Amino acid sequence: MKIEINGSSFTEDPRPGQCLRTYLRERGWFGVKKGCDAGDCGACTVHVDGEPVHSCLYPAFRADGHTVTTVEGLAAEDGELHPVQRKFLDAQGFQCGFCTAGFLMTTAALNEDQLTDLPRAFKGSLCRCTGYRAIEDAVRGVCHAEAPSAGEAVGRNLPAPAGPQVVTGTARYTFDIDVPDLLHMKLLRSPHAHARITAIDTTAALQVPGVHAAFTHYDAPERHFSTARHEHPTEDPDDTRVLDDTVRYIGQRVAAVVADSEAAAEEGCRRIEVTYETLPSVLDPEEAMHPGAPVVHDKDAATARISRPQNNVVGEAHGEIGSVETGFAEADAIYEDTYRTQRVQHASLETHGAVAWFDEDNRLTVRTSSQTPFLTRRALCALYDLPEEQVRVVAGRVGGGFGGKQEMLVEDIVALAVLRLRRPVKLEYTRAEQFYGATTRHPFTINVKAGARRDGQLTALQLRVVSNTGAYGNHGPAVMFHSVGESMAVYRAPHKKVDAFSVYTHTVPAGAFRGYGLGQVMFAVESALDELARQLDLDPLEFKAKNIIGPGEPMLSPGGEEEDLHIASYGLDQCVSIVRGAQTDPWDAAPDGWLVGEGAALAMIATGPPGGHIADAKASLLPDGGFDLAVGTAEFGNGTTTVHRQIAAGELATTVDRITVRQSDTDVVRHDTGAFASTGTVVAGKATLRASRALADQLLDFTAAHLQLPRADCTLAEEAVLHPGGRLTLEELHAAGAAVGVEFAADGHFGGTPRSVAFNAQWFRVAVDPGTGEIRILRSVHAADAGKVMNPMQCRGQVEGGVAQALGATLFENVRIDEQGAVETAAFRRYRLPQYADVPRTEVHFMETADAIGPLGAKSMSESPFNPVAPAFANALRDATGVRFTGLPLTRDRVWRALAESPRTSRPPVSP
């Protein structure tokens, strides 16, 4: 066996059945990623003799006698980037970057003819973050990144600091490290939706060569916790054990086997003998609330913080403003219908996983793909009675999150194994496990009733919401409460009422997902108001514009007004104007016989969660005159690292390349709640701003005292402090401070309150073939009120990625559950993710506002673009066809069937 890899020869034989991907990674070529195990995503693409292959499908032995090139081998020996790597860097054609190596290797192998047909060229490559526009720009050679300039960082298109590492494959994600003496964990999962384990025998598993241990519920702590991570743990019910003697969904972990190899661990799992007593199950949330339905969690309501366990209601909200009965009596038109949204998988390309070990100081170290390293440390310490100083949690670069990694799904069981075995242990989910062992977006059923007068004034708005939280309540109550907040508060109506329920069922658990419930309810509210406007013969956009709240108005929801939430800047009127302008543009061409329509939707979201979200930062002057910035928040394509450097550079009058960022490591800084709820800029960024300002003041104060000058005569500039007599370089300043025992370092803190709101509007023009149900997006326009935009290039990418992800949920993504409760779509090829050809180039417009609360006038813009997409699309489809679709996804077969039955569009039946 002889393989040449990136210019070096390797002669080790592969293991029987080993694929090329694992063979390469075991030899340190970590730029080759695992995203699907099935050749569906392209993240593992390498060249064999110059031809691109999916290395997860390519047997390693077939590479014998061939030359293999990974993304690390694209660059020249002198370090000069390959032209394609340079293009991706200049265009910033990535966000989390986990898929980037695959796109680079695919692009590098394209000929001129293939470059003219990118939809076909990228058919085997998936990106969950970017929305593909940035990738196309990279291929076309478009440059977006600007060169840094001292003190002029905020508001510019400055590149991500990890960009060079991303495009060369040297950025280190969770498992891109070599851990000596590593053991591997695999999980045995339940085949039943509801069962009690009456006996479990691991004897045969322990006899498998290489198996070191098998853990069951007898080895797990008795205490209950929630996998959800929030600053205040009491927001979520304590209903979960590390390993339980009762299983509540198909796919729940039953036992864990640790072995020298994944193969041995898998064989160990197969040999565990489990005796189950199957129990009645319930899959539908409405049925679950009926008296006599199987109880999912027979726990004490107060102790576990479950609203009504006997009725499977984990949380509920009821409230009324005014009297909806009076409001509907005053209405000239009333619209009522029931809307349904489906389960959606986060589908981050990097699966859940963690590796843990004891360091040289005998501290437990956990390296994990997490949005919440500090909260995960806190949870592990509580679970295993460990002092915080004895546990370190590190998140490397995270390959996508979208809320799915605001959970503790793997760290607890890995820690259990390491604590028992005192050996390093790794657990990495397969793609299938992501579907049946992680979490999904909450499926919702929303009954909406709205009334208005002939003049277009809303009189009443009423919602009944049922959210299916699955077998465990992680995020269930919080998502439910949030879903009926800003979705109702954005509209003025004197009479509002809500009844909302978060309900247990024996299905895969739901969790945090981009938008956190707002997208589901906004689909119903925005669709209903569009239909109500049509009943009144009013333009839907003008009808909504008449009823939206204005600056300074109270944001009233029947769930209660949040006192720390303010309209600290207002750009919703500008968003409406952008959409109005799009409506007046000339019509785009559509095929003959196709139906054309347009639709819009509005959205409001809080820039941060209620109840506080803590961030700490520390800025320091280094001996070489550069700066160190330590922040707790994680980087997973959200771009916080870039923004934090820009904020600090602006305050410290330097360039971003002179600021080193250390982050998402519990040893680096005090505490950070985590990178979720759109807080990376507005909370952690504010801590960075305060730390940087404090350090700038410290530098100027010391210089003035050191030189015996008035403070006003000293000015911070690039690499020096200027004064009337000349300049004191930052290196000299650091040395002067060190000589008298002064360390130039400052802390910044923000507690996440008060909070502001951000606004968004989405507009589509679509064409529909009534004979086949095919839909083409003719134009997509998004208006975003992000306050002062820190980095337009990066923020635009967040919007485009949010729109693309929402289009997937709108058009085809659906985690299907069979009649027994098992997930049927446990692979990308059975779960339809948006590909390059599916996503239009969305025109993104930023409003001109500056927030009074956010750092330097900024607001959040990572979650909010998702929320108005589905209703805007459904409204455009309604405008084109006359059919109101009340359920997602809007798959082609559903559309065709509805149109075939519609009097307005009916034609002779045609096979879809």
Side-chain angles (χ1 to χ4, degrees):
M1 182 79 177
K2 183 177 181 181
I3 307 175
E4 183 179 300
I5 304 173
N6 297 332
S8 299
S9 293
F10 293 84
T11 59
E12 299 92 343
D13 287 340
R15 297 187 302 274
Q18 185 175 26
C19 69
L20 182 58
R21 176 180 61 80
T22 57
Y23 185 90
L24 293 170
R25 286 185 59 82
E26 287 174 4
R27 280 143 190 85
W29 304 111
F30 294 126
V32 185
K33 303 302 183 196
K34 186 203 86 168
C36 66
D37 301 309
D40 295 331
C41 74
C44 68
T45 302
V46 301
H47 293 175
V48 177
D49 294 337
E51 292 296 320
V53 301
H54 287 182
S55 60
C56 69
L57 298 181
Y58 194 96
F61 78 87
R62 285 184 56 192
D64 185 15
H66 295 282
T67 297
V68 176
T69 305
T70 73
V71 67
E72 293 98 330
L74 277 184
E77 291 185 4
D78 60 1
E80 186 69 22
L81 294 180
H82 185 280
V84 171
Q85 291 173 316
R86 170 53 59 189
K87 288 180 178 180
F88 270 76
L89 193 59
D90 289 343
Q92 294 287 283
F94 52 85
Q95 283 183 27
C96 84
F98 199 79
C99 71
T100 304
F103 274 97
L104 279 163
M105 299 306 291
T106 300
T107 303
L110 297 179
N111 58 41
E112 290 299 321
D113 291 338
Q114 291 169 322
L115 286 170
T116 64
D117 190 2
L118 291 183
R120 181 179 296 276
F122 289 147
K123 189 175 181 180
S125 300
L126 294 173
C127 175
R128 191 56 158 170
C129 295
T130 66
Y132 296 105
R133 189 273 313 162
I135 294 173
E136 179 183 352
D137 284 355
V139 175
R140 303 299 186 206
V142 179
C143 181
H144 295 296
E146 300 179 45
S149 178
E152 299 177 358
V154 171
R156 300 184 60 212
N157 296 327
L158 299 183
Q165 290 75 45
V166 168
V167 301
T168 57
T170 56
R172 292 294 175 246
Y173 296 81
T174 306
F175 296 116
D176 295 343
I177 56 171
D178 183 17
V179 181
D181 205 26
L182 182 65
L183 300 177
H184 300 267
M185 175 183 287
K186 284 293 181 179
L187 301 174
L188 176 68
R189 296 184 179 274
S190 169
H192 303 291
H194 194 198
R196 184 176 295 110
I197 299 172
T198 58
I200 186 166
D201 187 351
T202 62
T203 303
L206 294 172
Q207 292 174 352
V208 174
V211 168
H212 290 258
F215 300 102
T216 70
H217 62 271
Y218 294 112
D219 304 292
E222 290 287 341
R223 64 187 57 169
H224 289 84
F225 64 98
S226 173
T227 64
R229 301 290 93 226
H230 282 111
E231 179 61 38
H232 305 290
T234 54
E235 290 186 27
D236 306 288
D238 287 338
D239 57 10
T240 305
R241 284 185 64 194
V242 174
L243 292 167
D244 208 329
D245 58 353
T246 298
V247 291
R248 297 176 174 86
Y249 68 97
I250 295 175
Q252 179 170 334
R253 60 195 190 193
V254 170
V257 175
V258 180
D260 290 330
S261 67
E262 289 187 1
E266 287 175 349
E267 181 61 25
C269 287
R270 283 190 285 268
R271 296 195 187 186
I272 294 176
E273 298 178 6
V274 186
T275 303
Y276 295 97
E277 175 193 353
T278 58
L279 302 170
S281 61
V282 59
L283 308 182
D284 180 84
E286 291 285 0
E287 294 178 10
M289 289 191 287
H290 291 168
V295 174
V296 180
H297 288 277
D298 184 16
K299 293 179 172 64
D300 178 72
T303 303
R305 296 186 300 279
I306 300 172
S307 179
R308 286 183 283 132
Q310 71 278 11
N311 299 116
N312 293 317
V313 177
V314 61
E316 54 192 314
H318 306 280
E320 187 170 13
I321 297 170
S323 167
V324 292
E325 184 178 353
T326 299
F328 290 125
E330 295 173 350
D332 295 308
I334 297 173
Y335 172 81
E336 182 177 10
D337 211 333
T338 299
Y339 292 78
R340 291 177 174 84
T341 66
Q342 79 283 28
R343 288 177 178 84
V344 176
Q345 232 293 316
H346 303 82
S348 52
L349 266 275
E350 182 191 39
T351 61
H352 282 81
V355 56
W357 63 89
F358 279 99
D359 66 13
E360 61 275 7
D361 297 320
N362 203 35
R363 292 196 311 159
L364 177 64
T365 300
V366 181
R367 182 178 173 91
T368 176
S369 183
S370 174
Q371 298 173 225
T372 58
F374 286 84
L375 300 187
T376 298
R377 178 182 66 172
R378 178 191 289 172
L380 291 174
C381 291
L383 193 57
Y384 294 112
D385 296 317
L386 300 170
E388 285 196 356
E389 61 270 16
Q390 286 299 111
V391 179
R392 178 187 184 188
V393 176
V394 181
R397 189 169 180 90
V398 177
F402 318 112
K405 293 174 181 175
Q406 193 192 339
E407 305 273 356
M408 187 172 70
L409 298 180
V410 294
E411 298 90 345
D412 57 331
I413 190 73
V414 171
L416 171 66
V418 174
L419 289 168
R420 295 293 182 87
L421 299 173
R422 313 297 291 189
R423 289 270 303 273
V425 176
K426 167 190 173 182
L427 171 60
E428 183 178 14
Y429 273 14
T430 64
R431 179 53 57 187
E433 285 180 299
Q434 285 294 114
F435 282 97
Y436 54 69
T439 61
T440 72
R441 190 179 186 220
H442 285 77
F444 268 62
T445 300
I446 311 108
N447 179 268
V448 57
K449 185 176 182 181
R453 294 195 296 264
R454 288 189 183 87
D455 63 0
Q457 187 66 51
L458 274 175
T459 61
L461 184 60
Q462 180 176 350
L463 296 178
R464 182 184 183 273
V465 174
V466 176
S467 169
N468 184 349
T469 197
Y472 291 89
N474 44 297
H475 296 283
V479 166
M480 179 268 300
F481 278 116
H482 191 234
S483 74
V484 296
E486 295 98 280
S487 59
M488 296 191 77
V490 71
Y491 286 107
R492 282 189 242 98
H495 309 286
K496 297 179 181 178
K497 184 179 181 181
V498 66
D499 293 287
F501 307 87
S502 179
V503 184
Y504 285 124
T505 61
H506 291 105
T507 59
V508 59
F513 192 105
R514 199 173 202 163
Y516 214 65
L518 282 180
Q520 292 95 312
V521 175
M522 284 177 178
F523 169 61
V525 171
E526 290 293 303
S527 297
L529 295 185
D530 188 275
E531 205 64 35
L532 182 58
R534 293 177 184 277
Q535 286 188 20
L536 293 166
D537 199 26
L538 298 173
D539 175 82
L541 182 63
E542 296 307 320
F543 171 69
K544 292 175 181 179
K546 184 170 185 175
N547 289 285
I548 55 175
I549 59 172
E553 292 187 40
M555 292 172 283
L556 301 178
S557 171
E561 186 176 0
E562 299 178 63
E563 294 182 358
D564 74 330
L565 190 62
H566 307 280
I567 302 177
S569 62
Y570 185 81
L572 187 53
D573 53 347
Q574 296 179 49
C575 292
V576 171
S577 295
I578 292 293
V579 171
R580 192 178 286 122
Q583 287 180 332
T584 62
D585 289 343
W587 284 79
D588 300 278
D592 291 340
W594 288 45
L595 308 171
V596 179
E598 56 188 38
L602 311 178
M604 177 176 75
I605 190 171
T607 60
H613 190 106
I614 295 170
D616 290 291
K618 183 175 183 178
S620 309
L621 177 65
L622 299 174
D624 65 357
F627 296 93
D628 177 84
L629 178 63
V631 293
T633 189
E635 174 63 61
F636 52 99
N638 47 351
T640 54
T641 313
T642 315
V643 167
H644 291 169
R645 287 214 309 179
Q646 288 181 263
I647 291 172
E651 296 301 312
L652 295 167
T654 190
T655 53
V656 290
D657 55 307
R658 293 184 60 79
I659 296 177
T660 301
V661 179
R662 294 180 296 129
Q663 62 190 134
S664 52
D665 182 341
T666 57
D667 273 9
V668 165
V669 70
R670 290 197 303 274
H671 180 77
D672 188 281
T673 299
F676 64 89
S678 305
T679 55
T681 293
V682 297
V683 177
K686 196 151 188 174
T688 291
L689 176 67
R690 290 176 172 176
S692 302
R693 280 186 176 171
L695 177 59
D697 286 339
Q698 191 180 112
L699 296 174
L700 292 173
D701 287 342
F702 181 89
T703 300
H706 178 66
L707 300 178
Q708 297 181 345
L709 294 169
R711 160 71 185 266
D713 287 348
C714 300
T715 304
L716 193 58
E718 184 180 12
E719 301 185 33
V721 177
L722 307 182
H723 55 86
R727 62 198 305 268
L728 181 67
T729 69
L730 294 181
E731 289 184 67
E732 294 169 336
L733 181 58
H734 186 279
V740 294
V742 174
E743 178 188 3
F744 295 109
D747 294 317
H749 173 85
F750 184 54
T753 184
R755 300 174 296 144
S756 186
V757 289
F759 300 99
N760 295 75
Q762 174 68 41
W763 177 85
F764 288 108
R765 182 175 290 144
V766 303
V768 187
D769 182 355
T772 66
E774 180 183 351
I775 306 172
R776 294 183 188 175
I777 300 173
L778 302 180
R779 193 176 176 200
S780 172
V781 176
H782 193 97
D785 173 24
K788 173 64 176 177
V789 179
M790 300 283 100
N791 187 311
M793 169 182 64
Q794 184 174 273
C795 194
R796 178 187 173 193
Q798 288 290 304
V799 173
E800 291 168 334
V803 172
Q805 193 172 49
L807 277 172
T810 301
L811 293 174
F812 27 72
E813 291 187 50
N814 187 8
V815 178
R816 295 195 303 271
I817 306 291
D818 69 14
E819 294 180 355
Q820 286 72 46
V823 173
E824 295 182 313
T825 50
F828 280 158
R829 64 186 55 191
R830 294 195 295 272
Y831 179 81
R832 176 84 155 80
L833 280 178
Q835 295 179 309
Y836 178 93
D838 298 315
V839 181
R841 285 179 74 97
T842 294
E843 303 165 31
V844 178
H845 302 265
F846 294 118
M847 306 304 100
E848 296 183 3
T849 61
D851 200 68
I853 295 175
L856 304 175
K859 294 196 283 192
S860 66
M861 198 44 59
S862 56
E863 291 186 87
S864 55
F866 188 102
N867 296 328
V869 171
F873 196 95
N875 290 339
L877 192 57
R878 165 47 169 108
D879 189 52
T881 66
V883 179
R884 171 55 64 184
F885 291 86
T886 59
L888 297 177
L890 300 171
T891 56
R892 180 172 171 173
D893 59 329
R894 290 184 180 180
V895 172
W896 171 80
R897 188 174 297 111
L899 298 189
E901 297 170 355
S902 170
R904 174 175 165 181
T905 60
S906 60
R907 287 182 175 185
V910 179
S911 297

